[in-house]
Amino acid sequence: CQRKSGGRPAKDMGQEGLKQRRGKNNAKPYSGRGSDPKDEGTSKPKSSQEAVTQSDWTMAAFLAMVAFMVYTEGGHPLLNVTNDCIPNMFTPVALLKQGTFTFDEFNYPFFYRWSLLGEDGHPRGQLEFRRFDEFPRQEGNDLTAGDLLDNGYLTLFENQSARAYNVVASKEGGVVSTFGPGAGLLLYPIVLAVTSSGIYNLTDLGDPNHFEQLATLGHFAASGCVSLSVSLLFLSLRVSKIDRESSLLGASAYAFATCVWSISATGYWQHGPNNLFTTAAMLSVAQGHFKGQTSWFAVAGACLGVAVLCRPAAVAWPLCVGAHLLWSRQWSRLLSFIVAGLPMAVFFAWYNVRHFGSIVTTGQTIASVTISKYKGADGLWSSHLLVGLSTLVLSPARGLLFHSPWLLVGGVVGFSSKASGRIEWVKPFVMAVVLQVFLAAKFFDHWGGWCFGCRPIVDVTPVLAVVAGSAIPIVRRSWGLTAIFLTILLWSIGVQVVGALAYNPIDWNGRLGVPWVVNGELKEVLYCDYDFVNTIKPPPDPLIRRALERWGKPSEDRCTRLDVDDPRYRGRLWDFDENPVFYFATHFWASRAAMARGNHRDVGLNLIGRVRSHGYADCSQGLCRPNASAREAFFRKYKALKKSNKTLGKE
């Protein structure tokens, strides 16, 4: 056999060609790891096989920009500032101002319980205020909180464990956020940049506009987190080789037809940052799966570590992803995943030990004990599983499928079709979804307290959106499926519009009405509507007479607050006729106008007052009576700070 110049023996070339031809017909089945072999031996150029192109990145940026504009133009940022948001907003302020995670009683008096004392030194009532130069709301009071303190008429409650649930006591003194430190840490560089640039001085707690400025910043930060998660979800679908139009529709549905708009983007909860880093981890796992690069799993580990710092319940994500890598014996990927997430785990352990005394103790585990007693629960995991699952999935007040039914149709089609092969990488995240929903259903507060929609499980929405989005190409092949899908998608968008633009925490969750509770079961409710000014309108007489004939004497003979946290009235979660979506849709403009007429700066404070007024402590039994020695120590500390020109909320 003669060799041609620069060539190979003819026989070798023939054998090599035969091997290549046989390889096309006898290729090994796709193992689910790395890139699909069917994509590798084709005649198409490599650039045409890549799912993500420059135009996809441009589209992702455009999606994020549109989502951010919609989220931030919806309404006043203070309308959805609730207890959960407040410590997340003030943690970066405390870090910048005092270099600590703790809130003291002088700079942050709104995190504490204050008692107004009479001339005899006994408490006359409870006061709430944000700064010491404010006039607390108390009949006949014409002094600021600082004046009351100077004259000995103001002191801390002895039982500070009865404070609002959004803060808990720290071993270092003072209080810290009930929730994970991650959300506050992520906001820190933004607070630092805004303060350093002179736009706002967010360390000046004495500024009357401080709370509004911080709430606005928090609203923009939450909107930014969710907007970025929209773009990352779009890229996750493109990496999974879903066509561009279907990926665009899936990401848009996630942005505007799920509760990430009405919940995660409306205020600086833990959910917005958690949604962002969950989708970032999903994109990283998808990239590592299709490209076969171990480094992407390191990125995923770091992202999920930050997600746990934001919301400790997100520990289900790294546990399931790590378990999947261990089960499939992907040792190098598992090692990279663990090493990258380890720094966040070490920091969280240090934070818990420093403030709560144990690695496994978090602020939420401490606060949950107190809240469970207030809500009449037998323990932290006392909810009946079927009751919790049905409430979170099906109920008109909290059900995921009532608020975003498109996820069900897309998910069913996605798992029962060839689309599931494209998103094989999402399986460990689906396992984590099952775990998180199970835990949320068993948790004593499975309905999420005073909230809109499926807030307890809103963190699983990105995973469900990827599964549903992968089915859109199959749905588009059938006119019937397309019509059904678009119909329920429009419904889902309408629900989120109502939740994002008209919802406020008080009007439905604590709606007034006349209840009939028979043998512990809520049989009927006649609601006492009002004109959003304070004028109560009792139910019509014919309805009252009919209910009296049917059930007898009502449980309350007057319009009373039917708090869904009260076990007697929790059946309202299943009221299809008067559910929150229908209620705020029919009272859309009236609700917005009423909130706009209110004092925006007191919205968050009023909600703190609402929780406190339900009475974790009973003053009638002397639990809130001030202790003399504690009172003297407090005044000594106060006068020392004042003498040294340190601030009482001022620079």
Side-chain angles (χ1 to χ4, degrees), residues 450-493:
W450 284 25
C451 68
F452 179 84
C454 53
R455 190 175 80 86
I457 57 173
V458 71
D459 298 325
V460 308
T461 306
V463 179
L464 299 180
V466 165
V467 175
S470 68
I472 293 179
I474 291 90
V475 171
R476 291 172 60 198
R477 296 174 189 170
S478 168
W479 284 104
L481 282 178
T482 301
I484 295 173
F485 183 81
L486 292 179
T487 300
I488 61 176
L489 183 62
L490 289 175
W491 161 267
S492 303
I493 294 173

Side-chain angles (χ1 to χ4, degrees), residues 232-261:
L232 295 177
L233 189 132
F234 169 79
L235 293 173
S236 297
L237 291 172
R238 292 294 291 130
V239 169
S240 302
K241 302 181 182 180
I242 307 299
D243 64 273
R244 183 172 301 160
E245 292 76 12
S246 298
S247 299
L248 179 61
L249 180 57
S252 300
Y254 165 74
F256 306 118
T258 70
C259 286
V260 298
W261 180 12

Side-chain angles (χ1 to χ4, degrees), residues 532-583:
F532 291 86
V533 175
N534 285 327
T535 303
I536 305 298
K537 297 179 180 179
D541 291 341
L543 295 180
I544 295 178
R545 284 195 296 269
R546 187 182 67 180
L548 288 172
E549 293 174 358
R550 187 175 184 183
W551 306 110
K553 184 180 179 181
S555 307
E556 300 286 344
D557 57 1
R558 59 184 177 84
C559 294
T560 188
R561 190 169 295 283
L562 306 176
D563 187 351
V564 293
D565 284 342
D566 190 325
R568 296 174 298 171
Y569 310 131
R570 205 163 294 157
R572 295 181 56 226
L573 297 172
W574 287 92
D575 190 342
F576 281 88
D577 294 331
E578 292 287 344
N579 64 74
V581 176
F582 292 169
Y583 176 81

Side-chain angles (χ1 to χ4, degrees), residues 79-117:
L79 299 186
N80 285 298
V81 175
T82 64
N83 272 328
D84 289 30
C85 302
I86 295 175
N88 294 333
M89 291 157 38
F90 279 91
T91 292
V93 176
L95 287 171
L96 188 59
K97 186 178 178 64
Q98 286 99 19
T100 178
F101 286 96
T102 59
F103 307 114
D104 62 75
E105 63 269 39
F106 299 105
N107 288 294
Y108 313 93
F110 47 88
F111 283 130
Y112 291 80
R113 295 169 56 84
W114 297 89
S115 179
L116 178 66
L117 305 178

Side-chain angles (χ1 to χ4, degrees), residues 10 45 50 140 150 175 288 317 324 389 400 433 458 519 541 563:
E50 294 179 355
D150 284 338
V175 296
W317 302 128
H324 174 75
L389 284 175
L400 172 69
V433 167
V458 71
N519 296 326
D541 291 341
D563 187 351

